[in-house]
Amino acid sequence: VEQCEKEPDACYRDNSVLTEMVAAASADNGCKLVLISSSGIYGSHKTTPYCEYDEVVPTTHHHRSKLLAEQHVLRHCPDALIIRTGWLFGGAPDNPKNFVMRRIEEARAAGQGPISSNQQQRGNPSYVRDVARRIYQLLGLQQVGVFNVVGSGVASRFDYVSGILQLAGLATEVVPAAASQFQRLAHVSDNEAALNWKAGLIGLAPMPDWRESLGKYLRDELLIP
């Protein structure tokens, strides 16, 4: 998200123009297309979680490029499936973008000292395996259009980081901090939380609670008991 503010041309090239090309190729070849979008595209016009029917008012280049990608896909592939998700965790621990592992390393490096975390921004920590399973469910049901797919439960960044360290057995203190302390270049919304409203309408079970899935990820993939 930060890099997109520094290099908007590359952001729109990769997220919008290339997506449009993939959508056109999918339409030409009769392929079902699934686009992974972001719950961040809703913007900052609500303080409660967003449903799929809410207005989309992105506040960053990254999220605007995702909205353009959605529009390109639906224009070329009316039967496409668009997944709005966010705050994803999972995958290999050595991935530089692995938020969970980086916070564990930050806490270990702090020794006896505290670490700080944003208490203003809220979202839904979402386990990649849970998201993947839901995508396969939606494909099996031949669903089309936009679906929010996020972990159940809303957390602040402070709640999320505190949960990571607690489940990892680390006693490091997490200090709540204002968003301004982190001096982000991108004007990211304080509210990226969403509800899986449309999935509920078609009778799908709620997504797993983010804390439950976080504990599973730590035990099964990061091998932290």
Side-chain angles (χ1 to χ4, degrees), residues 145-175:
V146 174
F147 279 83
N148 290 339
V149 178
V150 295
S152 291
V154 175
S156 67
R157 287 286 183 186
F158 170 77
D159 297 330
Y160 186 19
V161 173
S162 298
I164 291 169
L165 301 192
Q166 181 183 18
L167 289 167
L170 297 172
T172 304
E173 180 186 5
V174 183
V175 178

Side-chain angles (χ1 to χ4, degrees), residues 102-113 115 165 170 172:
R102 299 295 80 78
R103 299 293 73 74
I104 291 173
E105 290 175 347
E106 181 184 4
R108 289 171 175 167
Q112 298 300 312
I115 65 172
L165 301 192
L170 297 172
T172 304

